Amino acid sequence: MKKHIVVIAGDGIGQEVTAVGKQVLDAVAQKYGHEFTYDTALIGHAAIEATGNPLPEETITKSKASDAILFGAVGHPKYDNDPSAKVRPEQGLLGIRKALGLYANLRPIKLFDELLGASSIRPEILKGADILFFRELTGDVYFGEKGRSDDRDTAYDTMIYSRYEVERIARKAFEAAMTRRRRLCSVDKANVLESSRLWREVVQAMAPEYPDVVVEHQFIDAAAMLLIKDPRRFDVVLTGNLFGDILTDEASQIAGSMGMLASASIGDTTGLYEPIHGSAHDITGKGVANPLASILSAALMLDISFGMKAEAEEVVSAVDAALKAGYRTRDIADADTPDDMILGTEAMGSQILTQLASVAENQVV
Amino acid sequence: MKKHIVVIAGDGIGQEVTAVGKQVLDAVAQKYGHEFTYDTALIGHAAIEATGNPLPEETITKSKASDAILFGAVGHPKYDNDPSAKVRPEQGLLGIRKALGLYANLRPIKLFDELLGASSIRPEILKGADILFFRELTGDVYFGEKGRSDDRDTAYDTMIYSRYEVERIARKAFEAAMTRRRRLCSVDKANVLESSRLWREVVQAMAPEYPDVVVEHQFIDAAAMLLIKDPRRFDVVLTGNLFGDILTDEASQIAGSMGMLASASIGDTTGLYEPIHGSAHDITGKGVANPLASILSAALMLDISFGMKAEAEEVVSAVDAALKAGYRTRDIADADTPDDMILGTEAMGSQILTQLASVAENQVV
Ligand SMILES: [Mg+2]
Ligand SMILES: [Mg+2]
């Protein structure tokens, strides 16, 4: 298969980790006989420095012309001290999501056995959890009308959803469930909210098209409990923008190791794949950043944008194997990790490439 | 001190557990020289059976004339099979909250060392956690305007808060923080929501009146993470109706033992104190219900409505001592609990009364 990928490394450790993510994509292409071509584009602080614009027009053009985007991070500490800055790195990310119509945020929460110790949750409750969140990204109370009364004493926001907005993300969630364990949990607050009742109506109406998918509906408060009580009960979780914001952050904390978490923002065309960790300027340029979230973002790209399920699974298995072999980056090492097993960004990348190669040999045997 | 208490036992195990809660109040009154008088009133299914009304006028009158309400539970399985029933037990609880202007829901999450094993969270993260949630109860998206477009394809709800609504609950939260560890965390989504910006404005404006209270603001998504990552960092948590609904349920799950959790609904006059467990008809009348949540609700009444801090702490200590002595009700027993340490409702009540008496002896010595 031929695919064209734009690498938008952005700021801070984004540069270092996407370089490794790209190496992994290359290794997969070579092994499976795919042809991946690449371009690069600017965003965030890097783009502001070069062009004055956090999202240059050229970046949008290149992105639209690509099959997928491997994204790094945006952000720079100089803006933290200047909250009034009109031009900010983060505008680049919000802008590209809008330009590409990325209405669904996907967040896989996949627990690697070797890292169970990093979570606050007991390992026996967590082990084997594997959840894929679909959070709606362009609607809800974030974008509804908001305002104040003239006397400034009353403030309001509008939670709002239209049928087509729910339909398009619900369809993606059902399709994903079909390639996984065929369970879909839709989260809303339909006992109270009209927008949730519409949400539930749409999901219920779509369910008969996917008779193999077991659908359940949970209220957001119950879902926030169940995620802690029994994370393994979830497969695909589908929810709105606000409830998704809360649940995916809660779930990241349950997973424990932020440096391991990938995400995707997808719409009807080009998808964008990125680690959930930020630009981490405190460790930028030191060669110690954990590249595994970028590697797992690449795996997500293979799976979601290219439909290369086997290739994606092989990348995830390679990460698992490197962890099982005892290799760690600094952020996921613990007191028991021997010094010589704590690797830098490039060395961890090499381990994953080695694992990918050795899986191939095993398959040949 | 003279206090008049209405016991509204309601349905199911509400009867059994409030009987024990009342015994504990009596023991406290006797020991500290207070004079507590009691009345009873009907609510829920019990009230429907007797009068046809889940909230008889007499119940409201008696409640308004009291200093506090010890509440049991409402609910009956016969209504679960008939979702269209016009008259329902739950209307009693919603109605009395409204009649008494109960705008703040208080939920203490206090972890007893002996029960740490019941949580999904690792004991070393949880041990010592002691949080008091203040959830606003009469505003927000639950009560704002909601509706559908004529074509039924767009649905909306309105999140809305007025300054006075935030002020009155914020004041109660600050006052409570002053009697505790003097930390207040206000949870909102002020980076996105106008109603949250008003919320934060009010809390910030009030903070200078309480210079001893360390105030922090967290976004709801960050709070949902921090509650798992480091529950001990929280003392008083103040938040709106929707975010409070989610966070208090998440926190109950962190605590693990639902049968141990008390709550209060308060306004500017009479407060209502109740376990968070429901009517539990499956075990009603068997004498096995856990009375500790009702006992802890009584302790909360002593603390919040009567300002009897020492008395309240003594009740909590008595519960702690009974647990440390190894006594359990069935719901909080585990595989290691010897059969003869698993007590019924009344026997567990007697243990608490015994502990209260023995604390007295220790104090005399
Ligand atoms: Mg968030
Ligand atoms: Mg709830």
Side-chain angles (χ1 to χ4, degrees):
Chain A
M1 229 183 259
K2 283 190 179 188
K3 294 291 175 187
H4 183 62
I5 299 163
V6 178
V7 178
I8 308 183
D11 301 327
I13 61 168
Q15 298 287 338
E16 301 154 56
V17 299
T18 51
V20 178
K22 178 172 173 292
Q23 283 174 5
V24 168
L25 286 170
D26 275 336
V28 168
Q30 197 180 353
K31 188 162 164 187
Y32 283 83
H34 301 305
E35 191 184 325
F36 293 168
T37 55
Y38 300 91
D39 201 347
T40 60
L42 291 170
I43 206 162
H45 175 66
I48 296 172
E49 293 285 289
T51 71
N53 181 352
L55 181 63
E57 195 56 42
E58 191 189 45
T59 297
I60 298 176
T61 314
K62 284 182 177 179
S63 296
K64 284 188 174 169
S66 75
D67 294 305
I69 299 163
L70 185 67
F71 196 92
V74 292
H76 193 281
K78 80 178 245 196
Y79 303 88
D80 298 345
N81 305 323
D82 181 12
S84 65
K86 287 266 183 306
V87 177
R88 307 178 64 83
E90 292 77 11
Q91 292 163 346
L93 183 55
L94 296 175
I96 198 165
R97 281 183 180 163
K98 186 160 185 174
L100 298 176
L102 305 178
Y103 55 76
N105 190 241
L106 277 62
R107 180 86 65 93
I109 301 290
K110 160 119 182 77
L111 276 297
F112 292 96
D113 287 354
E114 312 302 314
L115 301 181
L116 289 178
S119 172
S120 308
I121 305 282
R122 293 172 192 271
E124 65 272 24
I125 288 173
L126 204 54
K127 191 170 161 48
D130 180 3
I131 313 176
L132 178 57
F133 284 93
F134 279 76
R135 168 190 171 190
E136 204 285 332
L137 210 52
T138 58
D140 207 347
V141 73
Y142 295 66
F143 299 97
E145 194 195 322
K146 59 192 64 192
R148 284 276 182 121
S149 59
D150 288 342
D151 63 6
R152 312 283 303 156
D153 283 348
T154 300
Y156 71 94
D157 300 272
T158 313
M159 267 188 170
I160 183 162
Y161 267 116
S162 288
R163 193 174 298 272
Y164 81 94
E165 294 176 302
V166 187
E167 275 170 351
R168 62 187 183 180
I169 188 170
R171 186 153 310 276
K172 291 211 180 280
F174 272 106
E175 295 289 344
M178 286 296 291
T179 72
R180 292 172 49 100
R181 300 195 307 284
R182 297 195 164 85
R183 294 184 55 86
L184 186 144
C185 175
S186 175
V187 176
D188 61 34
K189 187 74 185 174
N191 52 343
V192 174
L193 304 176
E194 189 63 26
S195 52
S196 284
R197 285 189 276 266
L198 173 63
W199 184 280
R200 189 173 285 213
E201 225 176 271
V202 171
V203 175
Q204 281 173 334
M206 196 173 288
E209 296 182 49
Y210 301 90
D212 292 340
V213 176
V214 177
V215 177
E216 69 163 343
H217 301 270
Q218 291 286 349
F219 298 135
I220 174 63
D221 46 335
M225 296 174 71
L226 288 169
L227 209 49
I228 301 169
K229 187 178 183 184
D230 186 13
R232 279 179 297 223
R233 77 193 297 289
F234 293 108
D235 177 16
V236 171
V237 176
L238 165 66
T239 189
N241 204 345
L242 178 63
F243 298 154
D245 190 5
I246 299 168
L247 280 187
T248 55
D249 280 347
E250 182 185 341
S252 316
Q253 191 56 52
I254 286 173
S257 311
M258 298 283 171
M260 300 293 297
L261 295 178
S263 78
S265 297
I266 63 173
D268 293 321
T269 57
T270 305
L272 184 153
Y273 298 83
E274 60 177 322
I276 73 158
H277 64 64
S279 49
H281 279 267
D282 53 324
I283 58 165
T284 296
K286 295 186 178 160
V288 299
N290 182 350
L292 294 175
S294 182
I295 290 170
L296 292 168
S297 298
L300 204 54
M301 177 192 293
L302 295 169
D303 181 0
I304 307 284
S305 274
F306 304 163
M308 299 174 180
K309 197 98 186 162
E311 290 87 330
E313 273 168 17
E314 205 177 313
V315 173
V316 174
S317 297
V319 171
D320 197 35
L323 295 171
K324 282 207 162 61
Y327 297 108
R328 301 284 185 275
T329 45
R330 213 177 49 180
D331 59 308
I332 54 172
D334 63 24
D336 298 332
T337 313
D339 277 355
D340 62 343
M341 298 303 274
I342 302 182
L343 308 183
T345 311
E346 285 179 23
M348 181 57 97
S350 301
Q351 277 304 325
I352 303 302
L353 295 174
T354 304
Q355 294 294 344
L356 280 171
S358 82
V359 173
E361 280 163 29
N362 292 342
Q363 283 176 334
V364 172
V365 174
Chain B
M1 227 184 260
K2 283 189 178 188
K3 295 291 175 189
H4 183 63
I5 299 163
V6 178
V7 178
I8 308 184
D11 301 327
I13 62 169
Q15 298 287 338
E16 300 155 58
V17 298
T18 51
V20 177
K22 177 172 175 292
Q23 282 174 5
V24 168
L25 286 170
D26 275 336
V28 168
Q30 196 181 354
K31 187 162 162 185
Y32 282 83
H34 301 305
E35 191 184 325
F36 294 168
T37 54
Y38 301 90
D39 202 347
T40 60
L42 291 170
I43 206 163
H45 175 66
I48 295 172
E49 294 286 289
T51 71
N53 182 351
L55 182 64
E57 195 54 43
E58 191 189 46
T59 297
I60 298 176
T61 313
K62 284 182 176 179
S63 296
K64 284 188 174 169
S66 75
D67 295 304
I69 300 163
L70 185 68
F71 196 90
V74 290
H76 193 282
K78 79 178 247 197
Y79 303 88
D80 298 345
N81 305 324
D82 181 11
S84 64
K86 286 267 184 307
V87 177
R88 307 178 64 83
E90 293 77 11
Q91 292 163 346
L93 182 56
L94 296 175
I96 198 166
R97 282 183 179 162
K98 185 159 187 174
L100 297 176
L102 305 177
Y103 55 76
N105 189 240
L106 278 60
R107 180 87 65 93
I109 301 290
K110 161 120 180 80
L111 276 298
F112 292 95
D113 287 353
E114 312 302 314
L115 300 182
L116 290 178
S119 172
S120 308
I121 305 283
R122 292 172 192 273
E124 65 272 25
I125 288 174
L126 204 55
K127 190 170 160 47
D130 180 4
I131 313 175
L132 179 57
F133 284 93
F134 279 76
R135 168 188 172 190
E136 205 284 334
L137 210 52
T138 59
D140 206 347
V141 72
Y142 296 66
F143 299 97
E145 193 195 323
K146 59 193 65 193
R148 283 277 181 120
S149 59
D150 288 342
D151 64 6
R152 311 283 303 155
D153 283 347
T154 300
Y156 71 94
D157 301 272
T158 312
M159 267 187 169
I160 183 162
Y161 267 116
S162 287
R163 193 174 297 273
Y164 81 93
E165 292 175 303
V166 187
E167 275 171 351
R168 63 187 182 180
I169 187 171
R171 186 154 308 280
K172 291 212 180 279
F174 272 106
E175 295 289 343
M178 286 296 291
T179 72
R180 292 172 49 101
R181 302 194 307 283
R182 297 193 164 86
R183 294 184 54 85
L184 185 142
C185 175
S186 174
V187 176
D188 61 35
K189 188 74 186 173
N191 50 343
V192 174
L193 304 177
E194 189 63 26
S195 52
S196 283
R197 285 189 276 266
L198 172 63
W199 184 280
R200 190 173 286 212
E201 224 177 272
V202 171
V203 175
Q204 282 173 334
M206 197 173 285
E209 294 181 50
Y210 300 90
D212 293 341
V213 177
V214 178
V215 177
E216 69 164 342
H217 301 270
Q218 292 286 349
F219 298 135
I220 175 63
D221 46 336
M225 295 174 72
L226 288 169
L227 208 50
I228 300 169
K229 185 179 184 184
D230 186 14
R232 280 179 296 223
R233 77 193 298 290
F234 294 107
D235 178 16
V236 171
V237 175
L238 165 65
T239 190
N241 204 344
L242 178 62
F243 299 154
D245 189 6
I246 299 168
L247 280 186
T248 55
D249 280 346
E250 182 185 341
S252 316
Q253 190 57 52
I254 286 172
S257 310
M258 300 281 172
M260 299 293 297
L261 295 177
S263 79
S265 296
I266 63 173
D268 293 322
T269 56
T270 306
L272 183 154
Y273 298 83
E274 60 177 322
I276 74 159
H277 64 64
S279 49
H281 279 268
D282 52 325
I283 57 165
T284 296
K286 295 186 178 159
V288 298
N290 182 349
L292 295 174
S294 182
I295 290 170
L296 292 168
S297 297
L300 203 56
M301 177 191 294
L302 294 169
D303 181 1
I304 306 283
S305 274
F306 303 163
M308 299 175 180
K309 198 97 186 161
E311 290 87 330
E313 274 168 16
E314 205 177 314
V315 173
V316 174
S317 297
V319 171
D320 197 35
L323 295 172
K324 282 208 161 60
Y327 297 108
R328 301 285 187 275
T329 45
R330 213 177 50 179
D331 59 309
I332 55 172
D334 63 23
D336 299 332
T337 313
D339 277 356
D340 61 342
M341 299 303 274
I342 301 181
L343 308 183
T345 311
E346 286 179 23
M348 180 57 97
S350 301
Q351 277 303 326
I352 304 302
L353 296 174
T354 305
Q355 293 294 345
L356 280 171
S358 83
V359 173
E361 280 163 31
N362 292 342
Q363 284 176 336
V364 173
V365 175

